[in-house]
Amino acid sequence: MNKNWMKTLAAGMATLMLAGSLVGCGSNDQGNTDTALKGTISLAGSTSMEKLCEAMSESFMETYPDITVTVEYTGSGAGIESLTAGSIDIGNASRSLKDGEKEKGAVENVAAIDGIAVIVDKENAVADLTTQQLADIYTGNVTNWSELGGNDEAIVVIGRENGSGTRGAFEELLEIEDTCKYAQELDSTGGVLAIFAVCSITVYMIAKGTPALKEVGVLQLLFGTVWSPTASTASYGIAYIILSSIVGTACSILIGVPIALLTAVFLTEIANKTLSGIPSIIFGLFGMMF
């Protein structure tokens, strides 16, 4: 990644919009000390600020045990909306405030500087993308890695959902607001990392598994009757594995369905009349024991 680009990208700020005084946290008695504060503080907003907010709230409640801090991770845009609507005390955002949000009374306080990174699969040979190339990828002007000197493979663009502060800061830095074309939009930073991990694992399995499958043969794999991958002459046959699964499932249905039906009849027609005087907790205890 181009160093100048990374310096610019690191300017994306994680900010806390404070609603002013902490409403409901203490009495009007000027003689009270801070340790006498009581009440609740509510926060909502950026998912990328989860670790920071959790650490801050835990530390705050240790210092002020009579104050309860609640945090919801709804996205930067939703957090600011809740703040200006007066439904929370603090809005968390991973972007700067917009002029319209400031006009509604939100106040910006920088809590940390947050870097935004663009990641690709480790097998991808493309490197040192420029700002313009990134903009072309995210707006759909470049759709294949071969256009950037890589392999002839389609580019799958994954990013945050509309309203995310991280996405807003990223698009603002690239000057591509409202023009991005995403293949998938995820509602949290963790979701983006999770889907990237799944894609990486899938690509790895296909890359490593395809040669092995060609060597073994599809027919041998599906209809072979011996599974012995560690033998001197390895064999890979899953016919018996599939067959045993089918037989096991069929037997479970044949045995389980009649028992379930008989149990239902017993409980409704017999037990309901003869055992109605026994508290239900006794049946629960019996079930837990056996």
Side-chain angles (χ1 to χ4, degrees), residues 49-289:
M49 295 184 67
E50 179 178 356
K51 300 298 183 182
L52 175 63
C53 288
E54 291 295 331
M56 290 173 60
S57 60
E58 289 177 7
S59 177
F60 190 88
M61 285 188 288
E62 287 179 2
T63 305
Y64 304 100
D66 292 328
I67 297 179
T68 301
V69 180
T70 60
V71 188
E72 294 182 11
Y73 303 102
T74 56
S76 297
I80 297 172
E81 287 181 7
S82 298
L83 173 65
T84 55
S87 57
I88 60 172
D89 299 309
I90 301 175
N92 310 325
S94 51
R95 61 168 174 80
S96 299
L97 281 175
K98 299 176 181 179
D99 291 338
E101 294 164 345
K102 292 180 181 179
E103 292 173 358
K104 294 180 180 179
V107 179
E108 181 176 294
N109 293 271
V110 179
I113 302 298
D114 185 20
I116 305 174
V118 178
I119 56 178
V120 297
D121 185 85
K122 66 178 182 178
E123 302 295 333
N124 196 324
V126 176
D128 295 324
L129 292 174
T130 65
T131 302
Q132 185 57 52
Q133 287 174 326
L134 280 174
D136 289 338
I137 290 173
Y138 277 85
T139 54
N141 293 325
V142 173
T143 58
N144 195 293
W145 288 113
S146 62
E147 300 176 62
L148 302 171
N151 297 328
D152 183 15
E153 297 177 345
I155 299 175
V156 180
V157 180
I158 302 172
R160 291 294 308 278
E161 82 289 358
N162 191 24
S164 161
T166 302
R167 170 172 167 173
F170 178 75
E171 294 181 358
E172 182 180 353
L173 288 168
L174 290 179
E175 299 181 351
I176 53 175
E177 297 95 325
D178 302 321
T179 60
C180 288
K181 297 180 180 179
Y182 294 92
Q184 284 185 289
E185 297 183 6
L186 304 174
D187 60 4
S188 70
T189 302
V192 175
L193 295 177
I195 196 67
F196 177 77
V198 171
C199 290
S200 298
I201 293 171
T202 302
V203 171
Y204 178 82
M205 291 178 63
I206 293 174
K208 298 297 183 181
T210 300
L213 184 60
K214 289 181 179 179
E215 182 180 344
V216 174
V218 176
L219 294 179
Q220 174 61 28
L221 178 67
L222 293 177
F223 300 105
T225 58
V226 178
W227 178 267
S228 182
T230 59
S232 55
T233 302
S235 298
Y236 302 91
I238 62 174
Y240 281 164
I241 298 175
I242 295 175
L243 183 60
S244 62
S245 297
I246 294 174
V247 172
T249 303
C251 291
S252 298
I253 294 174
L254 290 175
I255 297 173
V257 170
I259 292 177
L261 291 174
L262 290 172
T263 301
V265 171
F266 172 78
L267 291 175
T268 55
E269 298 297 330
I270 302 175
N272 188 43
K273 299 176 182 178
T274 59
L275 305 178
S276 58
I278 301 177
S280 59
I281 191 173
I282 300 300
F283 291 109
L285 179 61
F286 182 81
M288 291 175 62
M289 294 175 60

Side-chain angles (χ1 to χ4, degrees), residues 26 29-38 64:
D29 186 351
Q30 298 298 321
N32 283 352
T33 62
D34 289 344
T35 55
L37 293 176
K38 297 181 180 180
Y64 304 100

